[in-house]
Amino acid sequence: MVQRLIFIAVLAGVSFVAYKKYVRIFNIIRLGKEEEIADRKSERWKNVFLVAFGQKKMFKRIIPAIMHLFIYVAFLFTQIELVEIIIDGVFGVHRFFADKIGFLYSLIINSIEILSVLAFVATVVFLWRRNLLKVPRLVKPEMKGWPTLDANYILIGEIILLIGIFSMNGADAVLQNLDPEHYPATGGIISAAIGEGIFSGLSIGTLQGIERFGWWLHILTVFGFLLYLPMSKHLHIMLAFPNVYFSRLKSRGEISNMPEVMNEVKSMMGLIEESTDAADMSAELPDFGAKDVFDLSWQNILSAYTCTECGRCSSVCPANDTGKKLSPRKIMMDIRDRAEEVYTKIESENIDKKDYDDGKSLFDYISEEELFACTTCNACIEACPVLINPLEPILELRRYKLLTEAKGPEEWLPMFTALENGGSVWQMPDQRFDWANSINQESTS
Amino acid sequence: MKVYTLEEYNTMSKSPEIVFWVGCAGSFDPRAQKITKALVKILHHAGLEFAVLGNEESCTGDPARRAGNEFIFQMMALQNIETLNMYNVKKIVTACPHCFNTIKNEYPELGGNYEVLHHTTLIQKLIDEGKLTIEKGKFEGKKIAYHDSCYLGRINNIYETPRSILKQLDASLQEAKRNREKGFCCGAGGAQVFKEEEEGSKKVNHERVGELLEGNPDIIAANCPYCILMMNDGVKSKEKEEDVMVYDISELIVQANRW
């Protein structure tokens, strides 16, 4: 009874705090510019099934893909057991489903146990790849400090979770023989072996203690994860789905149009009626591009929070691969960190986002050196398993530099001048057809 | 063989089957001009009536837009669309994947709707229709390494057509370690070709050329004038310009046919 009350209290407390934390993430994402993304629903759902649920893009790198799949499927399956744990906890029963769904129960338990062993292997492999093998993309400069700690915390958390599952099921397996009335058979083969190997010969009281310890360890670790996710890169286990759903479906080659600039140029060229509205003339020119999280689409911020810092983007980036500072992963991390900073201040000082000004911007995180090193090759976009597009914010930041601040690499100026004056990237007025002279002379001679 | 402008066609009250969009590199850069001329020869031998815009053509605006200068992009794009629509252009071929991408994917939103072909697609079509044949023999025993440009490959998903043309050359086709959707950039895109690279451990094109040279090819084949400029520079930096030639696919066809 005491256990039951404690559980209900913990469950209620965790639910409350989790609700607050996830609403907070939702609000942070809404710091971005409003944009309706409601088209091509069937294509979007198809992406969710293939790319998010089906892990399609992970399989471009087979070893991490298989290891990741172990953990992912184990996670999905464990959710079934979690339902039972919560029912057991709230109602003070033991293995609620065991005698209700018959053979299916032992199938589920065995699946969970096999997947848990595989997930354990994968977790160890991941710890090894990060900390001993030091896979290059996992140890790049932007991974120093918190990002590396965060990744290791998650992996260690997974191991604790597995210790919980197996001490619970292992002790339970022995108890099933000693006290079949209270401990219905689960049919778990791995837990039976663990029980026999480690826990056999212990007294019923000790076994009950171990089973309870495992049960509580398991559920508390799950609660811990739930509360930890919103401040971790591991949030991808939730946000990958909406991020994939809302990802851009237009052609990769199409950079988003700027209608306000288009109309301005059209009226300059006399293609549309020039606005004669006096109020319009005196109006201040709007800022173009993005300098802060408010100027990016909410979809970009969702992506930033979805990023799990795997670094596939940066490992294929031609700039990053040749030692430049630009790292598409860092761009996404910077957007997230800046959004976090902004929202923390908004929260604590209760300010409206329209009035927000702390004298800082994304440019305090992202340098021009990084921005202008991008070749727009789209390799980062191709590489991302959850359809994050780092190029879009890079371009928006470039637009701010070029259009609003009139800055950018000086070497581009001659190109721009040549374009403005002669319509070509090189200053060679009226020579665009000269290449044909030799051909046309031949044909006349 | 004569190259007509659309204006000339217009005064003859005729319209060509296709407009050849030459692009800045193809118009001005001495190396890229050779690609332009190779494509002219191919169109001529295939008996396809074509015209160019000549001095009425402007940059598509690709480098300006990717640099972040949307004003100049819009100036270029809207002017070009005005011109193309004035001549009622329906079909365009270009040897530059950047021009191809911008006209195909970005002009529609600005009011420019055309059927746009990259020259490798057109070449394959001409072969399929029997209008173009490739003589065997010239490249027998040669090794050709193929470089996917980002704007044709990863961005527009054209990987196999250029390869299928190269296979018809009787040479052995080599793949770079990073190919197709994993193809590694030459370093020119996003207006990078107009500025120095940021500080790093090496140049992007040197990295890419090093990879392409791994199989000791005789020829590096590409489909983009900017890639070709970058590859040429990379080959020179490795002091391999005597051993390895860098060509556009159209030039290889012209060589094979000894035109």
Side-chain angles (χ1 to χ4, degrees), chain A residues 60-61 251-259 261-266 268-269 271 285 288 315-319 321-325 368-380 382 391 395 398-400 402-403 409 411-412 415-417 419-420 422-426 428-436 438-440 442-444, chain B residues 1-5 8 20-29 33 36-37 40 52 54-55 57-60 63-76 78-79 82 101 105-106 109-110 150-151 154-156 159 178 181-185 187-192 194-204 207 226 229:
Chain A
K60 299 199 170 208
R61 299 195 190 194
S251 160
R252 263 186 199 169
E254 186 190 349
I255 285 173
S256 61
N257 196 28
M258 296 178 78
V261 177
M262 181 178 74
N263 291 331
E264 178 78 26
V265 174
K266 273 187 177 171
M268 257 167 50
M269 291 170 64
L271 298 173
L285 259 180
F288 297 113
S315 75
V316 297
C317 172
D321 196 51
T322 53
K324 278 84 178 177
K325 269 202 185 131
E368 291 189 22
E369 185 180 345
E370 292 164 74
L371 279 184
F372 292 116
C374 172
T375 70
T376 70
C377 79
N378 276 250
C380 54
E382 171 67 34
L391 177 55
L395 262 160
R398 277 189 179 185
R399 282 173 166 174
Y400 187 85
L402 269 284
L403 300 173
E411 297 149 281
W412 277 346
M415 185 248 299
F416 294 145
T417 312
L419 285 171
E420 261 183 288
S424 299
V425 289
W426 295 291
M428 293 176 163
D430 301 328
Q431 293 168 35
R432 217 176 166 92
F433 194 42
D434 287 7
W435 61 268
S438 59
I439 299 174
N440 288 346
E442 252 173 59
S443 78
T444 49
Chain B
M1 193 165 67
K2 182 166 162 47
V3 184
Y4 291 98
T5 60
E8 286 168 317
F20 174 18
W21 185 276
V22 183
C24 295
S27 300
F28 298 112
D29 181 81
Q33 282 176 346
T36 307
K37 288 176 188 169
V40 164
V52 300
N55 282 319
E57 186 186 278
S58 293
C59 170
T60 58
R65 178 168 249 197
R66 278 147 188 84
N69 197 330
E70 185 75 2
F71 269 101
I72 291 179
F73 165 76
Q74 295 285 349
M75 283 168 58
M76 298 298 115
L78 292 167
Q79 183 57 57
E82 275 286 292
N101 178 69
N105 295 318
E106 297 185 331
E109 184 149 358
L110 277 64
C150 305
Y151 274 78
R154 196 159 37 237
I155 295 170
N156 281 291
Y159 300 113
R178 288 175 281 193
E181 70 269 26
K182 294 199 179 88
F184 194 73
C185 180
Q192 293 299 330
F194 302 106
K195 63 183 251 304
E196 279 301 315
E197 286 184 13
E198 279 68 18
E199 211 182 293
S201 53
K202 59 174 107 162
K203 301 230 171 178
V204 176
E207 167 76 12
Y226 291 101
L229 299 180

Side-chain angles (χ1 to χ4, degrees), chain A residues 37-316:
Chain A
I37 305 176
D39 58 334
R40 295 154 83 174
K41 291 204 168 68
S42 60
E43 261 172 276
R44 296 184 181 281
W45 281 113
K46 192 176 149 202
N47 275 345
V48 171
F49 279 106
L50 289 177
V51 178
F53 198 73
Q55 311 270 296
K56 184 177 158 197
K57 291 190 82 182
M58 284 295 287
F59 279 85
K60 299 199 170 208
R61 299 195 190 194
I62 196 76
I63 293 171
I66 291 172
M67 294 296 135
H68 180 268
L69 188 73
F70 289 164
I71 298 180
Y72 168 65
V73 181
F75 169 78
L76 286 183
F77 259 79
T78 314
Q79 302 317 303
I80 309 174
E81 199 183 25
L82 209 59
V83 174
E84 186 182 48
I85 288 186
I86 290 170
I87 293 173
D88 287 357
V90 172
F91 297 102
V93 292
H94 183 71
R95 294 198 181 266
F96 178 77
F97 289 122
D99 50 7
K100 292 189 178 58
I101 52 174
F103 133 89
L104 205 58
Y105 191 82
S106 89
L107 189 72
I108 292 169
I109 291 291
N110 275 304
S111 304
I112 290 171
E113 289 185 351
I114 291 164
L115 287 165
S116 296
V117 172
L118 294 175
F120 178 77
V121 173
T123 307
V124 172
V125 169
F126 281 166
L127 278 167
W128 168 70
R129 281 167 61 89
R130 245 172 223 283
N131 299 296
L132 298 172
L133 190 64
K134 295 191 189 295
V135 173
R137 68 181 158 95
L138 303 176
V139 294
K140 284 185 188 281
E142 66 268 23
M143 296 307 286
K144 284 220 171 70
W146 169 248
T148 295
L149 272 179
D150 181 20
N152 281 325
Y153 286 161
I154 288 289
L155 292 169
I156 292 164
E158 269 161 25
I159 289 179
I160 295 174
L161 195 70
L162 295 169
I163 292 172
I165 290 178
F166 281 117
S167 28
M168 172 175 90
N169 285 4
D172 197 85
V174 184
L175 286 164
Q176 286 163 30
N177 296 328
L178 299 177
D179 184 4
E181 197 189 321
H182 293 108
Y183 292 90
T186 57
I189 295 165
I190 294 170
S191 53
I194 289 173
E196 199 171 314
I198 304 176
F199 303 128
S200 66
L202 297 175
S203 71
I204 289 201
T206 314
L207 286 166
Q208 282 172 336
I210 293 168
E211 195 274 338
R212 286 292 88 193
F213 164 78
W215 190 89
W216 276 102
L217 188 65
H218 182 176
I219 192 66
L220 289 178
T221 313
V222 169
F223 288 161
F225 264 125
L226 190 68
L227 299 181
Y228 180 70
L229 287 182
M231 48 186 181
S232 163
K233 64 148 198 140
H234 210 61
L235 193 55
H236 80 290
I237 65 171
M238 297 188 179
L239 294 190
F241 296 87
N243 189 68
V244 165
Y245 182 86
F246 291 114
S247 67
R248 303 269 181 246
L249 295 177
K250 63 175 190 212
S251 160
R252 263 186 199 169
E254 186 190 349
I255 285 173
S256 61
N257 196 28
M258 296 178 78
E260 65 279 28
V261 177
M262 181 178 74
N263 291 331
E264 178 78 26
V265 174
K266 273 187 177 171
S267 79
M268 257 167 50
M269 291 170 64
L271 298 173
I272 50 170
E273 284 285 306
E274 206 162 336
S275 165
T276 47
D277 194 346
D280 242 14
M281 301 292 283
S282 62
E284 233 181 283
L285 259 180
D287 280 358
F288 297 113
K291 80 159 178 192
D292 213 338
V293 287
F294 312 105
D295 312 316
L296 294 171
S297 163
W298 64 267
Q299 199 267 343
N300 298 144
I301 302 177
L302 170 62
S303 288
Y305 274 83
T306 303
C307 176
T308 196
E309 301 169 7
C310 74
R312 281 167 173 75
C313 53
S314 298
S315 75
V316 297

Side-chain angles (χ1 to χ4, degrees), chain B residues 50-233:
Chain B
F50 73 95
V52 300
L53 281 159
N55 282 319
E56 288 186 283
E57 186 186 278
S58 293
C59 170
T60 58
D62 157 274
R65 178 168 249 197
R66 278 147 188 84
N69 197 330
E70 185 75 2
F71 269 101
I72 291 179
F73 165 76
Q74 295 285 349
M75 283 168 58
M76 298 298 115
L78 292 167
Q79 183 57 57
N80 283 325
I81 291 168
E82 275 286 292
T83 309
L84 290 166
N85 289 353
M86 178 184 79
Y87 287 118
N88 199 16
V89 170
K90 297 269 180 285
K91 202 168 171 184
I92 297 171
V93 61
T94 176
C96 173
H98 294 268
C99 298
F100 167 72
N101 178 69
T102 296
I103 302 175
K104 180 173 186 280
N105 295 318
E106 297 185 331
Y107 279 14
E109 184 149 358
L110 277 64
N113 293 286
Y114 322 101
E115 185 192 347
V116 194
L117 301 174
H118 183 253
H119 70 316
T120 54
T121 308
L122 181 66
I123 286 168
Q124 186 57 54
K125 261 176 86 170
L126 293 172
I127 293 171
D128 294 342
E129 290 166 1
K131 291 180 182 158
L132 178 67
T133 45
I134 300 177
E135 303 284 333
K136 304 266 180 193
K138 169 84 185 175
F139 295 104
E140 215 179 317
K142 299 273 190 213
K143 289 178 284 186
I144 302 182
Y146 178 62
H147 165 76
D148 287 284
S149 69
C150 305
Y151 274 78
L152 192 65
R154 196 159 37 237
I155 295 170
N156 281 291
N157 267 312
I158 299 178
Y159 300 113
E160 299 313 322
T161 308
R163 286 179 168 78
S164 97
I165 299 170
L166 288 172
K167 280 181 192 148
Q168 296 164 58
L169 289 174
D170 243 4
S172 74
L173 184 60
Q174 293 184 338
E175 290 292 350
K177 195 168 68 200
R178 288 175 281 193
N179 62 64
R180 292 186 173 81
E181 70 269 26
K182 294 199 179 88
F184 194 73
C185 180
C186 72
Q192 293 299 330
V193 71
F194 302 106
K195 63 183 251 304
E196 279 301 315
E197 286 184 13
E198 279 68 18
E199 211 182 293
S201 53
K202 59 174 107 162
K203 301 230 171 178
V204 176
N205 60 334
H206 294 181
E207 167 76 12
R208 182 52 167 172
V209 165
E211 195 174 282
L212 287 159
L213 291 179
E214 276 169 21
N216 292 316
D218 302 295
I219 291 165
I220 292 174
N223 57 53
C224 168
Y226 291 101
C227 292
I228 284 170
L229 299 180
M230 297 305 269
M231 296 297 125
N232 263 331
D233 178 70

Side-chain angles (χ1 to χ4, degrees), chain A residues 343-355:
Chain A
Y343 195 77
T344 307
K345 204 168 153 72
I346 284 181
E347 235 176 359
S348 68
E349 296 174 21
N350 208 4
I351 16 182
D352 194 280
K353 80 169 188 180
K354 283 188 228 63
D355 309 322

